[in-house]
């Protein structure tokens, strides 16, 4: 079911402004494999389930990108909620500071619980520290994905993605380390910035 089908199923009227919120298709590379390939490994760590690279990106960068930000004593993903269609790639990009993007998947040593859809490929970018460094992951399985930054997890640096339609173990609750937007709001708006959510 695509985004509009989901909205129709819940009786929501799809207006021009909502349709305009749909996240555009990415223009970058995709990773169909699940193995770390190429790129630099900045800041240590091992990329799992994606591609780690360095380069430009971040604020106002590629479509379907999530900035990883340090601003004073705040550490966050921006947007904190993002909708994509199955098969699209998201680039997690260092805006400032040193961060990682890690799926809540108990199959990874760093997560105690699973908050991604059954059968979905987990990912762990490792810690990236160079401004503009990025990690790409392609999302194939529809559902709701919660993720965190390992160095700042206990400080509430968490995010949520909805791929195609909400579903899976993350639905109906918040991640154990912080709050994220509701999946329905992410589908309706396409992307929810950190400032909008916390404002």
């Amino acid at each position: 079911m695509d985004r509009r089908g989901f909205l129709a199923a819940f009786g929501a009227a799809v207006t021009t402004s909502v349709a305009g919120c749909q996240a555009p298709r990415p223009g970058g590379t995709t990773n169909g494999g699940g193995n770390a390939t190429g790129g630099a490994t900045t800041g240590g760590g091992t990329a799992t389930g994606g591609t780690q690279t360095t380069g430009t990106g971040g604020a106002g960068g590629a479509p379907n990108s999530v900035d990883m930000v340090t601003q004073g004593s705040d550490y966050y993903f921006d947007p904190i909620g993002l909708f994509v269609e199955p098969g699209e790639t998201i680039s997690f990009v260092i805006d400032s500071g040193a961060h990682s993007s890690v799926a809540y998947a108990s199959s990874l040593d760093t997560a105690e619980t699973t908050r991604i859809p059954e059968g979905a490929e987990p990912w762990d970018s490792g810690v990236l520290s160079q401004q503009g460094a990025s990690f790409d992951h392609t999302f194939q399985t529809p559902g709701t994905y919660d993720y965190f930054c390992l160095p700042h997890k206990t400080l509430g640096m968490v995010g949520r993605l909805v791929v195609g339609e909400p579903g899976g173990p993350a639905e109906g609750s918040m991640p154990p380390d912080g709050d994220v937007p509701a999946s329905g709001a992410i589908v309706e708006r396409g992307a929810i910035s950190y400032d909008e959510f916390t404002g």
Side-chain angles (χ1 to χ4, degrees):
M1 177 185 294
D2 65 12
R3 178 172 167 226
R4 288 193 177 115
F6 172 80
L7 290 172
F10 284 87
V14 179
T15 63
T16 303
S17 63
V18 172
C21 291
Q22 184 172 358
R25 300 265 186 242
T29 61
T30 61
N31 173 27
N35 298 319
T37 58
T41 53
T42 57
T46 301
T48 302
T51 303
Q52 192 170 346
T53 59
T54 57
T56 59
N64 292 346
S65 67
V66 174
D67 289 337
M68 299 184 282
V69 181
T70 298
Q71 188 173 47
S73 60
D74 292 330
Y75 307 92
Y76 58 90
F77 294 103
D78 195 26
I80 191 170
L82 181 63
F83 172 86
V84 296
E85 293 289 354
E88 292 189 28
T89 299
I90 295 177
S91 295
F92 297 91
V93 182
I94 293 291
D95 175 82
S96 50
H99 303 285
S100 67
S101 173
V102 183
Y104 275 103
S106 57
S107 62
L108 301 175
D109 292 338
T110 53
E112 302 81 31
T113 184
T114 297
R115 298 184 61 82
I116 65 174
E118 184 177 340
E121 183 181 346
W123 72 95
D124 180 349
S125 68
V127 177
L128 306 173
S129 59
Q130 181 180 345
Q131 186 174 11
S134 66
F135 172 82
D136 295 341
H137 184 77
T138 301
F139 292 83
Q140 301 289 357
T141 305
T144 303
Y145 294 72
D146 287 344
Y147 61 96
F148 60 90
C149 169
L150 183 58
H152 305 112
K153 180 168 94 165
T154 59
L155 299 174
M157 187 169 173
V158 296
R160 175 170 283 180
L161 306 167
V162 177
V163 178
E165 62 183 352
E171 277 307 298
S173 64
M174 289 291 126
D177 303 296
D179 291 334
V180 292
S183 298
I186 294 170
V187 172
E188 182 178 325
R189 294 170 61 185
I192 299 175
S193 74
Y194 178 79
D195 287 342
E196 289 174 304
F197 181 65
T198 61

